[in-house]
Amino acid sequence: MSDNSSGKEITVPPIADELGRVFADEGFELHLVGGPVRDAVLRRTVSDLDFTTDARPDATEAILRRSCSTVWTTGADFGTIGGMFRGEQVEVTTFRADAYDRVSRNPIVRYGDSLVDDLERRDFTVNAMAVSVPGHVFADPFGGIEDIARRTIRTPASPESSFADDPLRMLRAARFSAQLGFGIEPDTLDAMRRMAPELGRITAERIRDEFVKLMLAPDPVVGLRVLVDTGLAAEFLPELPALRMEIDEHAQHKDVYEHSLQVLRNAIALETDGPDLLLRLAALLHDIGKPETKEVVAGGGVSFHHHDVAGARLARRRMRELRFPKAEVQAVSQLIALHLRFYGYGDAGWTDSAVRRYVTDAGPELERLHVLVRSDCTTRNRRKAERLRRDYDAFEERIARIRAAEDLRAVRPDLDGNAIMELLGLAPGPEVGRAWAHLKELRLERGPMPREEAEAALLAWAAAEGIAPRPDVD
């Protein structure tokens, strides 16, 4: 073990020492462990304080109930008790010496008496360091400090054993690579390639949560390349490696995989309020319909007709399988479905009606759609890139002008359902819905109409449709 009896190199939050004294007064060890120690070594902000102790869970819960304002036991089956201590969230886990049957997804929880055994079961050496509190004795039995200096991700035990115990650790390796900007040690990377199919043992929800953390990293492209190169992406997001389509010398097209990664980086550069998961997912997946729609056309070109429609369908299916919330599935698929609509605006001379439909169809995703469309320009032709930028600047200005005169974010027919029923003498039913939809189409086409004009248009439509009042309506 590599120890530092003074622990002066690592800044421990004062609250950790306070909690350490509480446990020491009860006769137990307490160690700050894992991510907080790694982040302290890296001089990053320390948050989500995690501790390990030789106290068994019942004793830990009793101690925390005497010293915390709130205590939760949702992780008690795995030896973890949480609480709010002096206004900070803390989690304390009993030393573990888990065993795995390597078939089920969860460990057989066994408590240990050794800090070293506890650290050995952790995912990577950079997370297998601890600092005692309040004594500040530094424990690094597996060379985490050296791996931080080398900027390397490596497992404490053999990678085969570690990944067999919990295959999700392979995704975590990619995620930490993206978060920390570290490379993955060659033997560890090789084990990930060989053991990628083991990911099938992991629930969709756990995979989704780890993938989301990767996507929110400072540079998710680093981790995504790891996922694709090791074959892990093929296990849960096969549409991503499928973008590496062969570029035929007689039917050339740009590398869709590299293009998609660049669009993601472009979108990240345009974020203004922190990481935006839905924007990043849409940027990464916006062209996943291209492999399915690729066609070689006369003259040696390539077309991808309706890849926006196909991509929206594929993204919907994949996100549902990964158990993303319905609202997030809808938002990302909608962005993909709409990401091509702007092209041609500069040449086609859009009507105000077309602009209204664009805004209305985008709905609450309009601002993300603006960023996605701008990010999708990766051409090296400066003249073309500048023209597209000017066209979209003009487009956004036009949207702003129309918005100033009309509330495009809440386009509604000029008559509501009650007015429709009163004018046509209808009871609630399908005819009212059809009439409402017709008026909305007119609203999009013409803009706001005076009430008299809207009523005349509705009466004309009803006569053409043969809609007559129901006899039971007063």
Side-chain angles (χ1 to χ4, degrees):
M1 179 187 297
S2 171
D3 287 336
N4 178 351
S5 58
S6 67
K8 296 298 185 183
E9 289 82 357
I10 296 178
T11 302
V12 174
I15 196 170
D17 285 336
E18 291 184 42
L19 187 61
R21 281 188 282 272
V22 170
F23 273 74
D25 289 345
E26 299 285 345
F28 296 110
E29 299 176 30
L30 190 69
H31 304 263
L32 188 65
V33 69
V37 179
R38 177 200 69 224
D39 289 341
V41 171
L42 288 167
R43 302 294 190 264
R44 290 158 52 105
T45 301
V46 174
S47 58
D48 296 330
L49 299 179
D50 292 330
F51 298 89
T52 188
T53 181
D54 57 343
R56 292 298 192 256
D58 288 348
T60 297
E61 182 179 351
I63 293 170
L64 292 184
R65 288 199 181 280
R66 289 193 293 271
S67 55
C68 291
S69 58
T70 305
V71 172
W72 52 89
T73 60
T74 51
D77 289 345
F78 300 96
T80 301
I81 308 296
M84 291 298 296
F85 179 76
R86 308 286 196 270
E88 293 285 341
Q89 180 175 312
V90 300
E91 289 195 338
V92 182
T93 303
T94 299
F95 289 163
R96 295 256 293 270
D98 296 337
Y100 294 78
D101 60 16
R102 299 185 176 180
V103 175
S104 64
R105 301 182 178 97
N106 294 321
I108 301 168
V109 177
R110 294 177 180 166
Y111 301 123
D113 299 308
S114 163
L115 175 62
V116 173
D117 288 345
D118 180 89
L119 295 177
E120 185 176 19
R121 73 173 182 82
R122 294 178 181 269
D123 51 8
F124 306 109
T125 60
V126 296
N127 297 328
M129 300 179 292
V131 178
S132 67
V133 286
H136 293 194
V137 176
F138 178 56
D140 179 22
F142 303 103
I145 284 284
E146 289 83 358
D147 284 339
I148 286 177
R150 288 192 293 260
R151 303 180 65 81
T152 296
I153 302 295
R154 182 173 60 87
T155 58
S158 73
E160 292 81 5
S161 174
S162 182
F163 297 151
D165 283 348
D166 186 0
L168 190 69
R169 288 171 174 169
M170 295 185 284
L171 291 191
R172 288 170 62 82
R175 190 248 292 185
F176 282 120
S177 181
Q179 285 183 331
L180 303 175
F182 285 14
I184 300 175
E185 184 261 340
D187 287 346
T188 303
L189 196 61
D190 182 60
M192 291 165 65
R193 292 190 182 98
R194 289 184 283 104
M195 299 179 70
E198 291 292 309
L199 201 60
R201 291 163 42 199
I202 304 301
T203 63
E205 291 83 357
R206 291 185 72 205
I207 291 174
R208 175 205 61 212
D209 290 349
E210 198 59 50
F211 178 58
V212 166
K213 291 175 184 177
L214 186 157
M215 288 298 296
L216 294 176
D219 188 3
V221 170
V222 170
L224 292 168
R225 289 192 187 280
V226 170
L227 295 182
V228 171
D229 293 345
T230 57
L232 285 163
E235 298 297 323
F236 72 96
L237 189 63
E239 293 81 6
L240 182 58
L243 293 176
R244 298 187 298 181
M245 294 180 288
E246 181 178 355
I247 302 179
D248 189 313
E249 62 178 319
H250 301 297
Q252 291 193 359
H253 57 84
K254 62 185 171 185
D255 187 324
V256 181
Y257 173 66
E258 291 297 333
H259 164 75
S260 298
L261 296 181
Q262 185 57 51
V263 172
L264 172 58
R265 279 187 163 145
N266 290 349
I268 291 171
L270 293 175
E271 290 174 337
T272 57
D273 192 24
D276 185 335
L277 175 64
L278 302 186
L279 172 64
R280 293 184 179 199
L281 287 171
L284 177 65
L285 303 177
H286 76 287
D287 274 350
I288 59 172
K290 280 190 170 180
E292 181 179 299
T293 58
K294 177 184 175 183
E295 290 185 3
V296 178
V297 297
V302 174
S303 72
F304 302 99
H305 292 308
H306 305 302
H307 76 268
D308 47 343
V309 177
R313 170 174 51 79
L314 292 171
R316 234 180 347 259
R317 184 183 69 186
R318 185 59 55 198
M319 291 182 68
R320 285 171 179 165
E321 290 182 357
L322 288 172
R323 306 293 192 269
F324 277 89
K326 290 181 180 179
E328 295 182 3
V329 174
Q330 172 59 26
V332 173
S333 59
Q334 183 180 28
L335 287 166
I336 294 172
L338 294 175
H339 83 275
L340 288 183
R341 187 179 293 187
F342 162 76
Y343 290 95
Y345 169 78
D347 301 322
W350 280 25
T351 63
D352 284 354
S353 172
V355 175
R356 290 189 196 100
R357 290 180 187 279
Y358 186 90
V359 173
T360 302
D361 289 348
E365 302 308 319
L366 181 63
E367 297 308 319
R368 285 193 178 104
L369 184 58
H370 287 332
V371 176
L372 177 60
V373 174
R374 289 184 181 277
S375 301
D376 195 22
C377 179
T378 61
T379 179
R380 295 181 181 179
N381 184 319
R382 292 185 179 180
R383 183 175 297 177
K384 181 179 179 182
E386 179 61 21
R387 178 170 58 81
L388 286 171
R389 186 193 64 77
R390 287 198 309 269
D391 285 348
Y392 210 86
D393 285 347
F395 185 51
E396 287 200 58
E397 290 171 3
R398 187 172 178 188
I399 289 173
R401 286 197 304 272
I402 297 176
R403 268 183 166 173
E406 311 171 23
D407 185 3
L408 293 184
R409 287 167 292 188
V411 171
R412 295 288 186 272
D414 294 283
L415 302 175
D416 63 17
N418 290 328
I420 290 170
M421 289 188 288
E422 181 180 352
L423 184 63
L424 298 183
L426 294 176
E431 291 92 345
V432 178
R434 291 172 55 209
W436 190 94
H438 175 70
L439 287 177
K440 182 174 181 180
E441 284 296 309
L442 288 181
R443 171 70 171 76
L444 289 170
E445 189 67 32
R446 303 181 189 177
M449 291 185 291
R451 185 178 182 89
E452 296 78 9
E453 185 178 342
E455 289 179 347
L458 177 61
L459 290 170
W461 173 83
E465 292 291 313
I467 293 177
R470 293 182 181 178
D472 59 342
V473 175
D474 295 334

